[in-house]
Short mmCIF file of all heavy atoms in Angstrom, two decimals:
data_model
loop_
_atom_site.label_atom_id
_atom_site.label_comp_id
_atom_site.label_asym_id
_atom_site.label_seq_id
_atom_site.Cartn_x
_atom_site.Cartn_y
_atom_site.Cartn_z
N PHE P 110 5.55 5.18 -9.07
CA PHE P 110 6.24 5.23 -10.37
C PHE P 110 7.46 4.27 -10.36
O PHE P 110 7.72 3.67 -11.40
CB PHE P 110 6.65 6.60 -10.80
CG PHE P 110 5.57 7.38 -11.43
CD1 PHE P 110 4.64 8.18 -10.77
CD2 PHE P 110 5.42 7.34 -12.86
CE1 PHE P 110 3.65 8.81 -11.44
CE2 PHE P 110 4.53 7.97 -13.54
CZ PHE P 110 3.50 8.71 -12.87
N TRP P 113 5.90 0.83 -10.80
CA TRP P 113 5.42 0.67 -12.19
C TRP P 113 6.51 0.55 -13.12
O TRP P 113 6.50 -0.25 -14.08
CB TRP P 113 4.51 1.84 -12.33
CG TRP P 113 3.74 1.73 -13.68
CD1 TRP P 113 3.31 0.65 -14.36
CD2 TRP P 113 3.28 2.86 -14.31
NE1 TRP P 113 2.61 1.08 -15.47
CE2 TRP P 113 2.54 2.36 -15.52
CE3 TRP P 113 3.30 4.27 -14.15
CZ2 TRP P 113 1.85 3.24 -16.42
CZ3 TRP P 113 2.66 5.07 -15.09
CH2 TRP P 113 2.08 4.50 -16.15
N TYR P 134 -7.04 10.97 -9.05
CA TYR P 134 -5.98 10.64 -9.93
C TYR P 134 -6.32 10.92 -11.48
O TYR P 134 -5.72 10.56 -12.39
CB TYR P 134 -5.61 9.19 -9.85
CG TYR P 134 -4.64 8.88 -8.66
CD1 TYR P 134 -4.95 8.07 -7.66
CD2 TYR P 134 -3.36 9.46 -8.67
CE1 TYR P 134 -4.11 7.87 -6.60
CE2 TYR P 134 -2.50 9.18 -7.63
CZ TYR P 134 -2.84 8.37 -6.58
OH TYR P 134 -2.05 8.11 -5.55
N GLU P 135 -7.51 11.73 -11.58
CA GLU P 135 -7.83 12.11 -12.92
C GLU P 135 -6.73 12.89 -13.69
O GLU P 135 -6.49 12.56 -14.85
CB GLU P 135 -9.13 12.95 -12.90
CG GLU P 135 -10.40 12.09 -12.69
CD GLU P 135 -10.65 11.12 -13.78
OE1 GLU P 135 -10.44 11.54 -14.95
OE2 GLU P 135 -10.99 10.01 -13.54
N PRO P 136 -6.04 13.82 -13.06
CA PRO P 136 -4.96 14.57 -13.80
C PRO P 136 -3.87 13.62 -14.14
O PRO P 136 -3.28 13.75 -15.20
CB PRO P 136 -4.50 15.48 -12.72
CG PRO P 136 -5.65 15.85 -11.91
CD PRO P 136 -6.34 14.48 -11.77
N LEU P 137 -3.52 12.60 -13.19
CA LEU P 137 -2.50 11.63 -13.61
C LEU P 137 -2.92 10.72 -14.75
O LEU P 137 -2.10 10.38 -15.65
CB LEU P 137 -2.18 10.78 -12.39
CG LEU P 137 -1.14 9.70 -12.56
CD1 LEU P 137 0.19 10.26 -13.08
CD2 LEU P 137 -0.90 8.92 -11.24
N ARG P 138 -4.20 10.42 -14.82
CA ARG P 138 -4.70 9.56 -15.91
C ARG P 138 -4.51 10.31 -17.22
O ARG P 138 -4.15 9.70 -18.28
CB ARG P 138 -6.15 9.16 -15.71
CG ARG P 138 -6.42 8.27 -14.54
CD ARG P 138 -7.87 8.04 -14.25
NE ARG P 138 -8.42 7.06 -15.16
CZ ARG P 138 -9.55 6.40 -14.92
NH1 ARG P 138 -10.31 6.66 -13.86
NH2 ARG P 138 -10.01 5.61 -15.80
N ALA P 139 -4.82 11.61 -17.15
CA ALA P 139 -4.58 12.42 -18.41
C ALA P 139 -3.17 12.44 -18.80
O ALA P 139 -2.84 12.42 -19.97
CB ALA P 139 -5.16 13.85 -18.10
N MET P 140 -2.28 12.53 -17.78
CA MET P 140 -0.80 12.51 -18.20
C MET P 140 -0.45 11.15 -18.69
O MET P 140 0.38 11.17 -19.66
CB MET P 140 -0.09 12.86 -16.92
CG MET P 140 1.48 13.10 -17.16
SD MET P 140 1.79 14.52 -18.22
CE MET P 140 3.30 14.02 -18.93
N ILE P 141 -0.85 10.11 -18.18
CA ILE P 141 -0.57 8.77 -18.70
C ILE P 141 -1.05 8.60 -20.14
O ILE P 141 -0.26 8.18 -20.98
CB ILE P 141 -1.16 7.68 -17.81
CG1 ILE P 141 -0.53 7.64 -16.43
CG2 ILE P 141 -1.15 6.37 -18.47
CD1 ILE P 141 -1.24 6.85 -15.43
N ASP P 142 -2.22 9.16 -20.48
CA ASP P 142 -2.68 9.06 -21.88
C ASP P 142 -1.81 10.01 -22.70
O ASP P 142 -1.49 9.53 -23.87
CB ASP P 142 -4.14 9.66 -21.89
CG ASP P 142 -5.22 8.68 -21.35
OD1 ASP P 142 -4.84 7.58 -21.12
OD2 ASP P 142 -6.33 9.22 -21.01
N HIS P 143 -1.37 11.13 -22.22
CA HIS P 143 -0.61 11.97 -22.99
C HIS P 143 0.85 11.32 -23.23
O HIS P 143 1.37 11.28 -24.34
CB HIS P 143 -0.40 13.28 -22.20
CG HIS P 143 0.55 14.34 -23.03
ND1 HIS P 143 0.19 14.83 -24.13
CD2 HIS P 143 1.64 14.91 -22.63
CE1 HIS P 143 1.08 15.72 -24.58
NE2 HIS P 143 1.98 15.79 -23.69
N MET P 144 1.34 10.65 -22.21
CA MET P 144 2.73 9.90 -22.43
C MET P 144 2.51 8.88 -23.44
O MET P 144 3.46 8.66 -24.37
CB MET P 144 3.13 9.31 -21.15
CG MET P 144 3.71 10.32 -20.03
SD MET P 144 4.48 9.54 -18.60
CE MET P 144 3.05 8.81 -17.91
N THR P 145 1.43 8.26 -23.46
CA THR P 145 1.15 7.06 -24.49
C THR P 145 1.05 7.65 -25.85
O THR P 145 1.56 7.29 -26.75
CB THR P 145 -0.08 6.32 -24.01
OG1 THR P 145 0.02 5.84 -22.71
CG2 THR P 145 -0.29 5.11 -24.99
N THR P 146 0.23 8.69 -26.01
CA THR P 146 0.09 9.36 -27.23
C THR P 146 1.31 9.87 -27.85
O THR P 146 1.51 9.69 -29.07
CB THR P 146 -1.01 10.54 -27.10
OG1 THR P 146 -2.20 9.98 -26.69
CG2 THR P 146 -1.27 11.24 -28.54
N GLU P 147 2.14 10.40 -27.08
CA GLU P 147 3.42 10.92 -27.51
C GLU P 147 4.58 10.05 -27.81
O GLU P 147 5.65 10.37 -27.99
CB GLU P 147 3.84 12.09 -26.55
CG GLU P 147 2.94 13.36 -26.50
CD GLU P 147 2.82 13.91 -27.86
OE1 GLU P 147 3.79 14.19 -28.45
OE2 GLU P 147 1.68 14.12 -28.32
N PHE P 149 6.05 7.82 -25.36
CA PHE P 149 7.00 7.58 -24.30
C PHE P 149 6.55 6.54 -23.41
O PHE P 149 7.26 6.09 -22.48
CB PHE P 149 7.22 8.90 -23.54
CG PHE P 149 7.92 10.01 -24.25
CD1 PHE P 149 7.27 11.07 -24.82
CD2 PHE P 149 9.23 9.86 -24.38
CE1 PHE P 149 8.00 11.96 -25.50
CE2 PHE P 149 10.00 10.96 -25.06
CZ PHE P 149 9.34 11.92 -25.60
N LEU P 150 5.34 5.93 -23.60
CA LEU P 150 4.79 4.82 -22.79
C LEU P 150 4.10 3.91 -23.69
O LEU P 150 3.19 4.43 -24.46
CB LEU P 150 3.90 5.43 -21.77
CG LEU P 150 3.23 4.34 -20.87
CD1 LEU P 150 4.19 3.67 -19.98
CD2 LEU P 150 2.16 5.11 -19.95
N SER P 155 0.57 1.07 -20.22
CA SER P 155 -0.47 2.07 -19.76
C SER P 155 -1.69 1.23 -19.26
O SER P 155 -2.20 1.64 -18.18
CB SER P 155 -0.88 2.99 -21.00
OG SER P 155 -1.95 3.76 -20.51
#
Side-chain angles (χ1 to χ4, degrees):
F110 273 91
W113 188 25
Y134 281 117
E135 283 299 319
L137 179 57
R138 295 176 77 163
M140 186 65 209
I141 290 169
D142 288 343
H143 184 59
M144 288 190 290
T145 305
T146 299
E147 294 301 308
F149 289 100
L150 178 65
S155 171

